[in-house]
Amino acid sequence: MKPLPDLRAWLTRHKLTQGDLALICGVTERCVGYWLSGRSAIPQTLRLLMRAVDDDRIDLPWLAGVIGEEKRTAA
């Protein structure tokens, strides 16, 4: 099993911003900032998402598109 990457490095590698991750996870940018600073622990679901993306099991652009579409239809 591969070790879990650092969240900041993971965001950089996948060309994501804090806002992008907040949208994908359904949280605020402040929450993502807390994860990045170590003020809050990274949830297990995000750890699983990171691993699935790194293992090419989930396509991030597709996931972001689905979540964005759900937010548009809910508004």
Side-chain angles (χ1 to χ4, degrees):
M1 185 181 296
K2 292 188 256 180
L4 190 67
D6 170 67
L7 181 56
R8 190 173 305 282
W10 187 86
L11 289 173
T12 301
R13 186 171 56 255
H14 292 286
K15 298 180 176 89
L16 295 171
T17 65
Q18 285 184 223
D20 295 334
L21 186 59
L23 175 68
I24 290 167
C25 294
V27 299
T28 64
E29 286 186 48
R30 179 178 285 182
C31 182
V32 174
Y34 288 162
W35 296 337
L36 289 168
S37 71
R39 187 171 177 183
S40 293
I42 297 172
Q44 182 65 22
T45 52
L46 177 53
R47 292 175 184 277
L48 292 170
L49 173 72
M50 292 168 68
R51 182 158 290 135
V53 168
D54 286 345
D55 291 344
D56 292 324
R57 294 180 182 178
I58 294 178
D59 180 59
L60 270 179
W62 170 83
L63 180 61
V66 169
I67 292 168
E69 181 62 31
E70 287 177 3
K71 284 194 173 243
R72 282 191 296 278
T73 57

